[in-house]
């Protein structure tokens, strides 16, 4: 039940509680074995979240009003302390971060590893994608191993390539949600396709025409050219060179969280994009956006939850839609609709 401007919080709670692997972990009591109470405020958020899960799934109440959980959040985060409407995606990031930190099995954490030397970086570039990805993932889980890691976290490969000598520099970072841009241009758009397949290449929609989520994925994975003031200092050429930058998914999570970036900045102002995005409820395939090292692994997801915002930048309301179907591999989505 909402109280005050808490729909942003409640929509996220519903989506997370509809995430069966996470809810099963709390309902079985496994979280108590991993629980870290080093920071009382953050620990209280986790214990109160566990109580909300318990209350919602035991079926003792016709509705649940998570006031104690709300207070625990306020005690822990100044951003969510007042009564203002907040962004559900930012709240989800905060909550998942808190759950990860308080349920991290790597406690106490070992010190971070040293950065690679120049020679080690050159050796690293000679490894294939799978070897690189596994090496960096193992470095990450050496210090991070929680239920959030197991369920929600994946890995992105970022590769720079010199356009003169083709030398590469590859880095990897972990993600908990995939934030996708919404491509908008003034070009005419003639072939939309549907939610179940990618559009024809090089077709960009105007701001008032619907697109599908594959166009957002294409925009995310589009090769970026670094030139002019953004030229790359190539380690092999020893001078600044034009280069390309490419993002690919190198490790897929069990549950994929997708966030559509609805806000754009124009001068000193932010505006909300009103473009409708078509989304498949089954068989969202990421085959075209993963590295070759995982291309043979399952890359298809089914939608089970949506956190949806209706309104404008200054006002609106969040709702959540959650399926209780038992799907093998799934994703949930943050959507912002625009009132007409």
């Amino acid at each position: 039940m909402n109280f005050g401007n808490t729909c942003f919080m409640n929509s996220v709670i519903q989506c997370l509680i509809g995430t069966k692997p996470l809810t099963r972990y709390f309902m079985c009591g496994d979280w108590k074995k991993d629980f870290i109470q080093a920071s009382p405020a953050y620990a209280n958020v986790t214990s109160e979240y566990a109580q909300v899960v318990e209350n919602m799934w035991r079926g003792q109440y016709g509705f649940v009003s998570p006031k104690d959980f709300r207070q625990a959040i306020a005690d822990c985060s100044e951003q969510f302390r007042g009564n203002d409407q907040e962004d559900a995606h930012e709240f989800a990031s905060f909550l998942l971060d808190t759950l990860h930190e308080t349920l991290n099995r790597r406690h106490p954490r070992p010190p971070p590893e040293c950065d690679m030397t120049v020679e080690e970086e050159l050796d690293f570039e000679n490894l294939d994608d799978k070897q690189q990805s596994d090496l960096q993932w193992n470095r990450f889980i050496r210090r991070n191993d929680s239920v959030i890691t197991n369920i929600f976290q994946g890995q992105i490969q970022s590769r720079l390539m010199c356009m003169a000598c083709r030398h590469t520099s590859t880095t990897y970072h972990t993600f908990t949600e995939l934030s996708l841009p919404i491509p908008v241009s003034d070009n005419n758009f003639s072939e939309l396709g549907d939610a179940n397949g990618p559009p024809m290449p090089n077709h960009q929609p105007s701001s008032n025409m619907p697109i599908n989520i594959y166009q957002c994925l294409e925009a995310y994975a589009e090769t970026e050219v670094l030139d002019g003031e953004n030229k790359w200092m190539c380690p092999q050429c020893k001078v600044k060179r034009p280069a390309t930058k490419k993002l690919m998914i190198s490790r897929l999570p069990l549950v994929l969280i997708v966030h559509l970036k609805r806000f754009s900045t124009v001068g000193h102002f932010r505006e909300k994009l009103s473009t409708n995005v078509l989304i498949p409820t089954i068989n969202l395939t990421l085959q075209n956006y993963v590295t070759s090292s995982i291309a043979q692994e399952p890359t298809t997801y089914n939608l089970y939850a949506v956190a949806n915002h209706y309104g404008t930048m200054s006002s609106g309301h969040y709702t959540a839609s959650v399926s209780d179907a038992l799907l093998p591999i799934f994703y949930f989505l943050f959507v912002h609709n625009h009132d007409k």
Side-chain angles (χ1 to χ4, degrees), residues 41-335:
Y42 287 93
N44 196 33
V45 170
T46 298
S47 59
E48 289 297 339
Y49 177 80
Q51 188 61 57
V52 172
V53 174
E54 177 89 9
N55 292 342
M56 289 186 69
W57 275 94
R58 291 300 182 200
Q60 297 172 281
Y61 308 101
F63 63 89
V64 173
S65 181
K67 290 184 178 180
D68 291 340
F69 176 71
R70 174 74 176 86
Q71 185 59 53
I73 293 292
D75 292 341
C76 193
S77 170
E78 186 175 348
Q79 178 182 355
F80 304 110
R81 192 165 294 165
N83 295 314
D84 294 337
Q85 178 67 279
E86 299 291 347
D87 184 85
H89 169 246
E90 292 181 3
F91 175 73
S93 296
F94 165 79
L95 179 55
L96 291 173
D97 236 18
T98 300
L99 294 177
H100 170 69
E101 292 298 327
T102 55
L103 299 170
N104 191 355
R105 303 177 189 104
R106 305 295 193 229
H107 183 76
R109 266 189 177 140
E113 295 187 29
C114 298
D115 292 337
M116 288 187 285
T117 65
V118 174
E119 292 76 16
E120 288 172 336
E121 286 183 2
L122 291 173
D123 291 339
F124 182 77
E125 289 303 315
N126 289 327
L127 301 176
D128 61 35
D129 283 351
K130 178 169 176 48
Q131 290 173 316
Q132 287 185 351
S133 172
D134 288 347
L135 178 63
Q136 295 291 27
W137 182 256
N138 288 334
R139 286 169 66 108
F140 174 75
I141 63 172
R142 179 174 168 268
R143 306 185 72 240
N144 300 274
D145 179 24
S146 72
V147 66
I148 304 304
T149 307
N150 301 155
I151 296 174
F152 295 107
Q153 291 186 326
Q155 186 189 61
I156 296 293
Q157 178 198 80
S158 176
R159 176 162 287 160
L160 291 168
M161 185 175 71
C162 176
M163 296 176 70
C165 71
R166 303 188 66 81
H167 176 76
T168 60
S169 175
T170 311
T171 56
Y172 292 81
H173 68 267
T174 305
F175 71 92
T176 306
E177 67 277 327
L178 200 60
S179 289
L180 302 181
I182 296 177
V184 175
S185 77
D186 295 326
N187 299 331
N188 292 327
F189 187 70
S190 57
E191 294 187 42
L192 171 65
D194 57 33
N196 296 314
M200 298 297 289
N202 302 321
H203 285 171
Q204 294 290 324
S206 63
S207 59
N208 61 348
M209 296 195 68
I211 64 174
N212 69 38
I213 196 170
Y214 289 101
Q215 290 165 266
C216 300
L217 286 161
E218 290 287 337
Y220 176 83
E222 183 179 16
T223 300
E224 178 185 358
V225 176
L226 306 179
D227 203 352
E229 294 182 356
N230 296 319
K231 286 181 180 179
W232 177 47
M233 176 60 76
C234 174
Q236 187 157 294
C237 296
K238 309 296 184 186
V239 295
K240 287 190 173 183
R241 296 286 197 190
T244 59
K245 180 180 180 180
K246 179 75 172 175
L247 299 178
M248 297 289 281
I249 303 171
S250 50
R251 182 179 291 266
L252 287 166
L254 174 65
V255 174
L256 177 67
I257 301 177
V258 177
H259 168 237
L260 297 180
K261 296 196 284 189
R262 281 283 182 188
F263 304 117
S264 65
T265 302
V266 180
H268 297 291
F269 302 96
R270 293 183 76 201
E271 65 177 8
K272 182 177 178 181
L273 300 175
S274 59
T275 309
N276 289 326
V277 181
L278 303 178
I279 301 157
T281 54
I282 59 172
N283 297 330
L284 171 70
T285 178
L286 302 181
Q287 183 75 30
N288 294 339
Y289 314 104
V290 301
T291 58
S292 58
S293 60
I294 62 168
Q296 303 307 313
E297 299 177 10
T299 59
T300 300
Y301 288 84
N302 298 310
L303 182 66
Y304 76 99
V306 178
N308 205 346
H309 180 262
Y310 294 88
T312 63
M313 286 284 294
S314 57
S315 65
H317 181 62
Y318 279 100
T319 62
S321 301
V322 184
S323 169
D324 62 357
L326 292 172
L327 301 175
I329 188 166
F330 24 62
Y331 73 105
F332 84 71
L333 183 73
F334 287 97
V335 177

Side-chain angles (χ1 to χ4, degrees), residues 11-22:
S11 63
V12 171
I13 291 174
Q14 291 176 65
C15 289
L16 288 181
I17 289 181
T19 306
K20 288 182 170 58
L22 182 62

